[in-house]
Amino acid sequence: MAAPTIILLRFESRNGQFRLKVSTKDDFTSLLDAILQNLPKDTTDPSSITLSNQPIGTGGEERLLTTLRGAKIEQVGLKNGDKLFVGYDEQSNLSNGHTNGVPGNPPRRLNGQFAPAAERVPIAPPITSPTAIVKNPWEVVRQSPLDDRLDKQDGKIQRPRDQKMCRHGAKGMCDYCMPLEPYAPEYLADKKIKHLSFHSHLRKINSSTNKPELKSSYMPPLSEPYYRVKKDCPSGHPSWPEGICTKCQPSAITLQPQPFRMVDHIEFASKDIIDSLLRFWRMSGAQRIGYLYGRYEEYKEVPLGIKAVVEAIYEPPQVNEIDGVTLQEWTNEADIDRIASLCGLEKVGIMFTDLIQTDTPNKVVCKRHVESYYLSSLEIAFAARHQAQHPKPTKWSETGRFGSNFVTCVVSGDESGDITVSAYQASNSAVEMVRADVIEPSAEPSVMLVQSEEDENISNRTRYIPEVFYRRINEYGANVQENAKPSFPVDYLLVTLTYGVPIDSRPMFAATRFPIENRELIGESQEYRNLATVLEAGSPQNKIIQNVSDFHLICFLCSLGVLSKDEEALLCRVASEHDIADGMQLSTSNNWATLLTILKDSGEPPSKRARASTTSDQPSPASQISESEQLAKRLKVAKLR
């Protein structure tokens, strides 16, 4: 092992500069005492010390020192003479209720060292109280790290110097070459970008809501639509349905296409992820549905854009038919979400097939086109319910949340008869209208019905249905407003997303040999013998890394209950990060050896199957059984279990 190297690091705070001699093997948190000695005593909050590669507040990579526990100096590539910037908060300015100079609790010490204060976990506003206003949401609401990074970017679109119109020098700037705002309509029209990204839309409305030159108090620029009767009306009348007034009743709804989208692009890490879902339809002819697990990343093709990267599709219990799918109770949903989070993933959307084979080989019926519909009214309501269950936390909204990043993908036929993927999101108005029970799907897929208050006895509930209007271009070319009752086109309730697969695909999960869950209908099931076969395959050097890199396999392994919680986390790291050291640690753990012993005793040895595959070509009595009888036996075994 290489000996540690002593280097000199420079630090700069708002109080001046100082230098420290450190070892490359030192932990960043070990610098806390040395940094505190160069900062104002008795007023510096140790838990708020921040390090950055750029001056604090200028968009650098700022990190709290307490969050760098376990990170070595040599791991970040710091060299002798490098400079770091230090930021901190003073004790009297803590947002802990002490606003008049009254000091808070003194910093705690443990074994003579400053102990960092426990990290505050902001309370997310519940979905059941959409009108609850969060006080100072920019302080208490925790956004995703991606949103925090996009907030720090200026988002300006750089333009080169125009050789024809610019009359200034190389260092000058004019109206023809100055950077554009991310919501500039001329740039969006030139790049054929149909919808603004969420952060571009945020910059646009924030520039008109909060103007620094007016020196007015800050107001969160975002607010979600609310189409229900407000509870606890201050007018003092009985609550709905006994009483209602103009203060608590919802205003009339005027529908118009949503100009922005919460997610701009959906990217599948590999085409094999889509093929695995299509294989069920090819073998059974029935439709299939699955939840998309992945992560959100920055999308460079759109100013301040966001893309969802899909790494796996989990297929929950369902009843599959030729013309649709019925979801059943998903008892282990929380366990699957926990396993996905251990892999650094989250539930980003849902995907379903809508395919009908034609008489022409490799061609399907084109059901969704401009003359019919792209997403039916039932599917929009289905997508809206899922988006309501996955709200997006944001500090720019007065309620602490706005919209959702949950996406809906449809696998169907295009106009040429080929299989293609389309991605959509329900608009924020559609989500609230479904939540408020204002609309309902119709038998005609291209239109949505507006509920009637006369039907309240049928559903045994009392609701207030506001007036709903929408604007359209009539036959004379005029922009007119129409009453949405009893129905209106579904185009006002959805936004479209782009879709793609990278050319140089590098999926997180490389193995695809283990059977997918809940596929007993086509004769596939997850059993010990399948697990034993997969774990025994591959080269001896990286066998465990190659074999466990399968999302469906690690979900099955964790459901067995053999591995401990720490070993499950280690298994997920091996499957997602492919670290050889973690793989060796997993292979030498006690419970992993216990699992292999169980598989050896209960699973069929691979050598036996290998001998069976190399026997004579004469058909055995078992092979002469029809496929339908074999499938019936498999289903019978599944029911008995």
Side-chain angles (χ1 to χ4, degrees):
M1 189 170 94
T5 304
I6 303 299
I7 62 175
L8 186 69
L9 292 181
R10 298 179 297 156
F11 295 85
E12 180 179 338
S13 68
R14 57 177 178 261
N15 303 100
Q17 300 185 10
F18 58 93
R19 296 179 295 178
L20 295 177
K21 288 185 178 181
V22 299
S23 172
T24 56
K25 300 295 183 181
D26 286 346
D27 193 288
F28 267 99
T29 54
S30 64
L31 306 178
L32 180 60
D33 286 340
I35 293 176
L36 284 173
Q37 293 177 3
N38 294 274
L39 299 178
K41 298 180 180 180
D42 301 329
T43 60
T44 302
D45 178 21
S47 63
S48 67
I49 293 180
T50 306
L51 297 181
S52 175
N53 60 339
Q54 296 181 15
I56 301 298
T58 61
E61 297 181 2
E62 300 180 7
R63 297 290 185 273
L64 283 173
L65 185 59
T66 56
T67 63
L68 298 177
R69 186 179 303 277
K72 306 295 182 183
I73 293 178
E74 63 180 359
Q75 293 178 348
V76 299
L78 290 176
K79 303 184 295 297
N80 186 48
D82 285 350
K83 187 175 184 179
L84 295 176
F85 295 87
V86 182
Y88 63 92
D89 293 334
E90 296 182 356
Q91 293 281 2
S92 58
N93 292 333
L94 289 177
S95 58
N96 194 25
H98 309 285
T99 58
N100 296 324
V102 181
N105 296 329
R108 301 176 299 166
R109 287 180 177 269
L110 181 63
N111 296 332
Q113 303 289 332
F114 283 107
E119 184 179 5
R120 291 191 308 165
V121 179
I123 300 175
I127 300 178
T128 56
S129 59
T131 58
I133 305 299
V134 179
K135 184 179 181 181
N136 298 340
W138 54 90
E139 294 181 356
V140 299
V141 175
R142 178 181 297 172
Q143 299 184 136
S144 66
L146 175 61
D147 288 328
D148 290 334
R149 291 196 302 270
L150 292 175
D151 284 343
K152 295 178 181 179
Q153 298 181 13
D154 60 2
K156 296 294 183 65
I157 303 169
Q158 302 297 328
R159 293 191 296 175
R161 184 172 180 269
D162 194 321
Q163 299 297 332
K164 294 182 178 179
M165 306 301 297
C166 294
R167 305 299 181 185
H168 51 76
K171 296 184 178 181
M173 185 179 297
C174 65
D175 292 341
Y176 297 99
C177 62
M178 65 182 301
L180 296 175
E181 294 291 342
Y183 47 84
E186 59 270 23
Y187 177 83
L188 299 178
D190 181 60
K191 298 296 182 180
K192 297 182 179 180
I193 300 175
K194 186 176 180 181
H195 300 280
L196 285 173
S197 65
F198 165 69
H199 283 270
S200 297
H201 171 71
L202 176 61
R203 303 290 174 87
K204 181 178 181 180
I205 62 175
N206 190 42
S207 61
S208 58
T209 304
N210 298 291
K211 297 181 179 181
E213 61 272 12
L214 299 180
K215 297 182 180 181
S216 58
S217 59
Y218 174 79
M219 295 178 57
L222 298 177
S223 60
E224 285 197 310
Y226 190 72
Y227 303 146
R228 285 165 281 176
V229 178
K230 296 180 182 179
K231 299 180 180 179
D232 302 327
C233 182
S235 300
H237 60 75
S239 60
W240 171 262
E242 284 75 17
I244 193 172
C245 69
T246 56
K247 294 182 179 179
C248 58
Q249 73 177 22
S251 303
I253 305 171
T254 301
L255 295 174
Q256 52 186 347
Q258 185 170 286
F260 65 94
R261 53 192 176 192
M262 306 300 295
V263 176
D264 302 279
H265 181 76
I266 182 166
E267 177 182 296
F268 290 86
S270 172
K271 64 180 181 62
D272 296 333
I273 299 176
I274 306 174
D275 291 338
S276 64
L277 190 71
L278 289 176
R279 190 166 61 86
F280 182 92
W281 170 77
R282 292 190 177 103
M283 297 181 65
S284 65
Q287 310 305 325
R288 194 66 171 171
I289 193 170
Y291 285 93
L292 311 178
Y293 283 90
R295 61 187 178 275
Y296 297 105
E297 295 180 355
E298 184 178 357
Y299 186 48
K300 299 291 187 180
E301 302 300 323
V302 175
L304 301 177
I306 296 176
K307 69 177 179 180
V309 181
V310 179
E311 295 286 355
I313 301 179
Y314 188 90
E315 303 173 10
Q318 54 192 279
V319 177
N320 308 102
E321 300 177 5
I322 302 297
D323 58 347
V325 178
T326 302
L327 287 176
Q328 296 180 318
E329 184 181 2
W330 188 6
T331 57
N332 63 335
E333 181 178 4
D335 296 330
I336 302 302
D337 291 343
R338 180 182 63 86
I339 295 170
S341 65
L342 293 176
C343 297
L345 307 177
E346 60 180 307
K347 194 182 297 177
V348 300
I350 196 168
M351 185 177 190
F352 58 89
T353 62
D354 184 18
L355 299 167
I356 299 178
Q357 183 69 45
T358 63
D359 297 334
T360 306
N362 301 325
K363 295 294 181 179
V364 294
V365 175
C366 176
K367 298 172 57 178
R368 302 167 187 265
H369 50 81
V370 66
E371 299 296 334
S372 60
Y373 64 95
Y374 290 105
L375 206 63
S376 68
S377 57
L378 180 63
E379 294 163 352
I380 291 178
F382 179 71
R385 292 189 182 95
H386 278 85
Q387 291 179 209
Q389 296 172 3
H390 300 84
K392 176 187 179 70
T394 175
K395 63 183 181 182
W396 301 97
S397 174
E398 58 185 5
T399 58
R401 66 181 183 276
F402 185 80
S404 173
N405 284 352
F406 199 87
V407 301
T408 300
C409 297
V410 185
V411 184
S412 187
D414 59 10
E415 296 180 354
S416 60
D418 297 327
I419 297 177
T420 186
V421 177
S422 302
Y424 304 95
Q425 276 191 308
S427 65
N428 292 356
S429 297
V431 174
E432 176 56 25
M433 293 176 77
V434 170
R435 187 189 284 124
D437 201 19
V438 175
I439 56 177
E440 64 177 348
S442 68
E444 177 64 32
S446 61
V447 297
M448 184 75 76
L449 296 178
V450 178
Q451 294 272 29
S452 174
E453 296 179 359
E454 299 175 356
D455 299 335
E456 61 185 20
N457 295 328
I458 299 177
S459 59
N460 196 22
R461 59 181 298 183
T462 302
R463 55 173 175 255
Y464 180 86
I465 307 299
E467 292 292 330
V468 182
F469 303 95
Y470 69 97
R471 305 196 68 87
R472 70 178 184 90
I473 305 299
N474 63 7
E475 61 273 15
Y476 304 105
N479 189 348
V480 297
Q481 180 172 284
E482 298 280 353
N483 194 331
K485 291 183 179 181
S487 63
F488 62 94
V490 298
D491 300 337
Y492 293 88
L493 302 179
L494 60 89
V495 293
T496 57
L497 283 65
T498 57
Y499 138 83
V501 178
I503 299 176
D504 184 16
S505 61
R506 296 180 180 178
M508 176 181 293
F509 304 107
T512 57
R513 297 185 299 272
F514 191 71
I516 299 176
E517 60 281 339
N518 303 313
R519 286 196 171 188
E520 289 79 7
L521 180 63
I522 58 175
E524 294 182 5
S525 60
Q526 295 178 335
E527 300 177 357
Y528 284 147
R529 60 184 182 184
N530 305 119
L531 183 59
T533 303
V534 172
L535 294 182
E536 288 296 329
S539 59
Q541 293 80 7
N542 300 328
K543 179 167 63 175
I544 188 171
I545 298 178
Q546 297 171 355
N547 295 337
V548 303
S549 184
D550 189 326
F551 185 72
H552 308 283
L553 184 141
I554 61 177
C555 290
F556 180 72
L557 277 176
C558 294
S559 67
L560 299 178
V562 178
L563 303 178
S564 64
K565 296 297 182 183
D566 293 337
E567 289 170 337
E568 288 180 357
L570 180 61
L571 171 66
C572 294
R573 288 203 305 271
V574 173
S576 59
E577 299 177 5
H578 312 153
D579 192 345
I580 298 178
D582 289 339
M584 293 297 296
Q585 182 181 353
L586 177 63
S587 62
T588 56
S589 61
N590 295 331
N591 289 334
W592 185 262
T594 303
L595 174 64
L596 296 181
T597 303
I598 295 174
L599 296 179
K600 183 178 180 181
D601 295 339
S602 61
E604 185 181 1
S607 58
K608 181 177 179 180
R609 289 191 297 273
R611 290 195 302 269
S613 62
T614 56
T615 55
S616 61
D617 296 333
Q618 295 182 357
S620 61
S623 63
Q624 297 177 358
I625 301 176
S626 64
E627 295 182 359
S628 60
E629 292 177 355
Q630 293 180 2
L631 180 58
K633 290 182 178 180
R634 293 192 186 99
L635 291 175
K636 183 178 180 181
V637 172
K639 291 179 180 179
L640 290 176
R641 292 179 180 174

